[in-house]
Amino acid sequence: MPLISEEPQIPESAQGPRVTPAAGRTAPTPRPVPGPRSAATPRPGRPGPGPARPAPPAQRVHPTTPAAPAPVPARPKPAENGSAPQIQLIPAPVAGALDAAEEAVDLLLESGRAPGDILVLTTGEQHPWAAHELSFGEAAYWAQHDAGDDVFFADVSAADRAASRPVVVVAVNGDADGTVARTLPAARDRAGVLLIVCGDPQTINSALGAGV
């Protein structure tokens, strides 16, 4: 008969001490090891990033615009008295004079100047705001001027009707029939503290030398 191999028997004393769970206690269950947490998974007790919220209007990124040219001193005639307004010239082409005037207004407002302190005159095409408001009638348009609580835009042809304000900004966006030479004296008379002229320096200085 063939021999049947038998597995060796390990004596019970060689198996080491047997651990018996204490009465009333169960053996601990192995806890799974957490895997790496993705960036999108929120931490416990903290909300996840959630969908992106639009930034408030004041914090939104706006396209940058080229900085306005630095004002350069104009060449007015010597003032006869100390009450004459300061005159600043901002060089700009005819097509860009209105934009330069708007940037000057923005800087004035950012520096703390009240909107009602500013009058803007145009020598050529009217400012879009003036054209829009005049579409409702001159009475409503000039009522806003009389209220004096906001920046007012007007054509130079109406300069005689406009009241004096601390700051007058002139956009030389046209010079038909010597309009600038007639406008700057009227603008100076209505500027209590500061007259800003945006346009071609040669045209403006010629008008300042002739009429201011």
Side-chain angles (χ1 to χ4, degrees), residues 40-164:
T41 305
R43 292 176 179 271
R46 298 186 182 180
R53 297 177 59 187
Q59 300 178 8
R60 293 177 186 168
V61 178
H62 299 283
T64 57
T65 56
V72 299
R75 294 181 297 180
K77 286 183 177 180
E80 296 180 358
N81 55 66
S83 63
Q86 179 185 358
I87 301 176
Q88 291 183 357
L89 167 61
I90 299 179
V94 172
L98 193 55
D99 289 338
E102 289 183 332
E103 290 178 6
V105 170
D106 289 341
L107 291 174
L108 289 167
L109 296 175
E110 290 173 4
S111 68
R113 178 67 66 177
D117 288 351
I118 305 171
L119 170 66
V120 181
L121 301 175
T122 55
T123 64
E125 185 179 356
Q126 285 185 335
H127 188 277
W129 180 89
H132 177 266
E133 294 301 320
L134 281 168
S135 67
F136 297 102
E138 287 201 7
Y141 170 73
W142 286 103
Q144 296 186 61
H145 165 270
D146 297 339
D149 56 3
D150 204 350
V151 180
F152 191 77
F153 298 85
D155 184 80
V156 294
S157 62
D160 292 340
R161 185 172 177 179
S164 299

Side-chain angles (χ1 to χ4, degrees), residues 4-16:
I4 300 175
S5 61
E6 295 183 359
E7 296 182 0
Q9 300 293 324
I10 301 176
E12 194 170 324
S13 60
Q15 296 180 3

